[in-house]
Each structure stands twice: as C-alpha cells, then as structure tokens.
Amino acid sequence: MTANPYRTAVLAWYDVNARDLPWRADDATPWGVLVSEVMLQQTPVARVLPAWEAWLERWPVPAALAAEPAGEAVRMWGRLGYPRRALRLHACAATIVQRHGGEVPSSHADLLALPGVGAYTAAAVASFAFGQRHAVLDTNVRRVLERVVNGREYPPKAPTGAEYRLAESLLPEEPAVAARWGVAVMELGALVCTARNPRCGECPVVDRCAWVLAGKPPHDGPPRRGQRYAGTDRQVRGRLLAVLREAPGPVPKSVLDAVWDEAAQRERALDGLVADGLVDPLETGDYALPS
DNA sequence: AACCCGTGGGG
DNA sequence: TCCCCAAGGGT
C-alpha cells in the first residue's frame, strides 16, 4: 500500500519499454549524465545521441573539457541549438575541476550552483546519476501528471508550487525506487503520453487517468503560442555562429556581413554573441570562436 | 514574470 | 505548408 496508485503499473511499463539510451547504461558516468541532461534541454533525443557520443569520446572527464578553449565546446556543439549551453557546459567543467576535484558533485545544492544547471537538471543528475530521491519535473512529467491526476490536457506554462508538491507527494520513499519512478514517468511522457496524439491505448494507467475518464477535454484558456523564429535575432545569431563554427580559424567581418542583409539587426546579433562570450572580436578586426 | 535564447522533424 | 514541439535556464 502506497500513496502512489500509479507506481506499480508505471514501473512495470518502464521495465519493458525503456529505451536503451547510452546515458542510462550501467557504465555511464555522472559526467555523461550531466552532459546528456544539458544537451537534452530543448533538443530531441534523436539529435542528441550522436553529439553525446562524440562529446564523451573527446572529453570523457570534465578535466579534459576544462583544458580546452571554450570555443572548442561551441564547435563540438554543432547544430544542437542554444549554443550558450555549450559555453555553460565548459564552465561547468572548469568549476568541477576547481571546486570539486574533477568529480561531478552529487548534492543537489552543488549541482544547482553549476552554470546552466537549474532545478530540473540538478534533480535529474542527482537522481539518475547518484540514485537520490528528488522530484524531477520536466515537460514530460508535468504533462503526465497534469493529465493523469488533474484531468487537464496541458500543464501551465511555467512549473507551479502545486506541481512540485504533487510530484513530491508521489515520490516513492526508497531513493532507488524514486529515481526509477522519475525516469519512468519521463519515458511515459516521451513515448506514450505525448503532447499531441497521445497513445492512450498503450498507457499503463489509462484506467486511472483523470483526463481520459473526463473524456479528454481539450485545453481551454489562452492558446499556448510558441515563439516566432524567422526574422528574429536568434535566426541571425544562428547564421553568424554557423559560419564561425565551420571556419577553421578567424573570419573577416565581410564574411559575416554576408549572412544577413539588414545591417542594424546583423550588428545587434553579432554584438549579442560577443556579449554572451560566444564570439571573440580580434584586434585584427576578424572574429573567432572564444579561446 | 515575461522574454530571450537555435534547430530540425513530424503532423 | 505551417505550426507545434523537444529531458530548460538565465535575466
């Protein structure tokens, strides 16, 4: 008897349906888990897989990455998107070497203090890499709980205190089981309880799902609009950085100028990249990835 | 709290 | 086609 009526069914489902992802392998290190979690922030698993393999091959421990220029991390990041994550992962490696003896810290507080590691990632690494008991509240878990428990199609835009309390209340007592529960719910959200066209026929808790029992009422309230991309500074930044990533060395400004015709926006985007530390303006007038 | 930050695939 | 979405975080 437990306070979590879904636990047995979800864990049994995960036993059978868990994907064989390399960062879940027995020989995966905490560093490998941390790298995977940062790469998976807003980037789909399929695109992360090859990048993760290459990254861990080149930098199997934090010290290996910390010994190289930040620009190498940005280059290896490739087209995963949000390249500031590469910079932060490099800064993570430096911090781990300087403050933690080269070992990824295991406490939630120490993890949270690392650059680019927020509430979700800290909980995920503490749970998945170190077997601790933490509520991992990612987009998948939030959607599953919103449907199964609250009977609504989609959770609020940002995680609420109520959501954290709910996730905590469902967490099994034993740390190892709690960790398994967290990754299992995430997997259920990723494979079955998807944002669009959920496969309720394959769901282990469909008979206890408040949303299904209510007749799958569609999301009401304000439309969940995504952010525009075409024509934004983000698109320009992406083009500029793509040129620098693919170049073997410093690039003349004239080459960067060719990626976008509107000068004001182009300059603003380039200035932003410099301000973020993703691009170095050289004294020669050329631009390069940071050293 | 709202907005910014990349990229590509699927429905 | 176009829109939505993907293991978020920082400011």
Side-chain angles (χ1 to χ4, degrees):
Chain A
M1 211 44 209
T2 129
N4 180 337
Y6 320 104
R7 167 178 155 173
T8 301
V10 169
L11 290 177
W13 174 88
Y14 185 71
D15 286 343
V16 175
N17 294 284
R19 286 170 294 180
D20 189 19
L21 301 173
W23 45 86
R24 290 179 183 162
D26 290 334
D27 63 347
T29 63
W31 172 241
V33 173
L34 174 60
V35 171
S36 79
E37 290 301 337
V38 174
M39 286 185 170
L40 287 163
Q41 292 169 0
Q42 302 289 280
T43 301
V45 168
R47 238 185 308 155
V48 164
L49 279 168
W52 185 88
E53 299 283 4
W55 190 283
L56 270 291
E57 170 82 12
R58 179 166 176 184
W59 300 308
V61 295
L65 175 57
E68 295 213 35
E72 286 306 297
V74 175
R75 182 173 278 110
M76 277 299 277
W77 197 254
R79 305 189 69 81
L80 288 180
Y82 293 144
R84 293 189 292 191
R85 291 182 292 163
L87 230 39
R88 291 174 181 148
L89 207 39
H90 183 267
C92 268
T95 301
I96 289 166
V97 168
Q98 292 166 206
R99 295 184 48 93
H100 302 289
E103 300 291 329
V104 175
S106 59
S107 84
H108 186 276
D110 285 343
L111 288 164
L112 195 56
L114 295 174
V117 175
Y120 161 74
T121 302
V125 174
S127 179
F128 305 154
F130 296 106
Q132 297 170 19
R133 183 177 181 274
H134 294 282
V136 289
L137 203 60
D138 80 318
T139 186
N140 290 303
V141 174
R142 295 184 61 218
R143 186 175 56 249
V144 171
L145 297 186
E146 187 70 14
R147 288 176 180 169
V148 172
V149 179
N150 295 333
R152 288 186 285 267
E153 188 177 19
Y154 297 121
K157 297 186 178 210
T160 64
E163 288 184 84
Y164 279 104
R165 272 176 258 124
L166 172 60
E168 295 278 356
S169 74
L170 293 174
L171 216 50
E173 281 307 316
E174 309 99 61
V177 182
R180 185 87 172 170
W181 160 258
V183 73
V185 178
M186 283 179 60
E187 193 77 334
L188 186 62
L191 299 181
V192 173
C193 194
T194 49
R196 288 176 296 184
N197 305 335
R199 309 160 137 195
C200 298
E202 302 175 23
C203 181
V205 293
V206 65
D207 57 335
R208 276 160 287 181
C209 177
W211 185 55
V212 168
L213 293 174
K216 297 190 184 181
H219 174 77
D220 61 358
R224 322 159 61 234
R225 72 94 176 72
Q227 304 174 55
R228 294 270 181 272
Y229 179 66
T232 63
D233 287 4
R234 288 158 69 194
Q235 183 178 25
V236 185
R237 287 166 58 108
R239 288 193 185 181
L240 290 169
L241 205 56
V243 170
L244 290 162
R245 268 199 318 263
E246 288 149 24
V251 171
K253 187 157 189 305
S254 59
V255 174
L256 296 179
D257 285 345
V259 308
W260 198 259
D261 52 9
E262 194 179 342
Q265 186 177 25
R266 196 177 62 227
E267 296 304 319
R268 184 170 68 241
L270 183 56
D271 288 347
L273 289 170
V274 171
D276 287 347
L278 283 163
V279 173
D280 258 1
L282 305 182
E283 312 217 345
T284 61
D286 292 351
Y287 290 82
L289 294 181
S291 54

